[in-house]
């Protein structure tokens, strides 16, 4: 069992920055990939970024010039979001993948608005 807790969401003005953090606990040794997804109202949940235990990272085209995913420590992954746009408004979910299961956090709201 893996537990994921997101933090760092909130309200920010366009052009501003936020840093999200996902802390994993439980059987964290089984995690191979951690990722951030987001879901805006009325839209499909989409992959934003992912990081492999080995270190490879992926960013979606819509955020690759503005966001960075990184490992803060062995069990925590951060998503640094810069130059935020209104289109980034969504609930952001942390995801962890193991060979057998994938787990989800509860989500954290990010609202980009003036």
């Amino acid at each position: 069992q893996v537990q994921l807790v997101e933090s760092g969401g909130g309200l920010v003005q366009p052009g501003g920055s936020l840093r999200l953090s996902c802390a994993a606990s439980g059987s964290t040794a089984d995690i191979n990939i951690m990722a951030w997804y987001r879901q805006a109202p009325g839209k499909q949940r989409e992959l934003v970024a992912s990081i492999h235990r080995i270190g490879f990272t992926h960013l979606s085209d819509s955020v690759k010039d503005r966001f960075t995913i990184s490992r803060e420590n062995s069990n925590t992954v951060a998503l640094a979001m810069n130059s935020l746009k209104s289109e980034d408004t969504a609930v952001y979910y942390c995801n962890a993948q193991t060979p057998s299961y994938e787990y989800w956090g509860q989500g954290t709201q990010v609202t980009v608005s003036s």
Side-chain angles (χ1 to χ4, degrees):
Q1 188 80 7
V2 174
Q3 295 80 43
L4 304 172
V5 179
E6 303 101 330
S7 61
L11 175 65
V12 65
Q13 294 184 350
S17 300
L18 282 175
R19 186 178 182 89
L20 305 183
S21 181
C22 177
S25 61
S27 301
T28 58
D30 297 331
I31 298 173
N32 292 319
I33 298 171
M34 294 186 68
W36 287 96
Y37 287 75
R38 67 185 181 185
Q39 187 165 24
K43 294 186 177 181
Q44 194 85 17
R45 184 174 298 187
E46 64 173 341
L47 175 66
V48 177
S50 63
I51 183 167
H52 194 276
R53 179 177 293 272
I54 299 300
F56 296 105
T57 60
H58 165 81
L59 294 168
S60 69
D61 289 342
S62 62
V63 307
K64 64 182 180 181
D65 296 327
R66 302 180 294 119
F67 292 10
T68 302
I69 188 169
S70 61
R71 185 178 294 109
E72 294 183 327
N73 55 52
S74 296
N75 299 324
T76 303
V77 169
L79 183 69
M81 305 185 295
N82 302 308
S83 301
L84 283 161
K85 307 173 181 178
S86 60
E87 305 94 274
D88 297 316
T89 296
V91 177
Y92 284 71
Y93 296 92
C94 185
N95 167 271
Q97 300 174 33
T98 72
S100 300
Y101 305 100
E102 66 175 2
Y103 302 88
W104 295 91
Q106 81 287 353
T108 185
Q109 177 71 49
V110 172
T111 302
V112 184
S113 177
S114 298

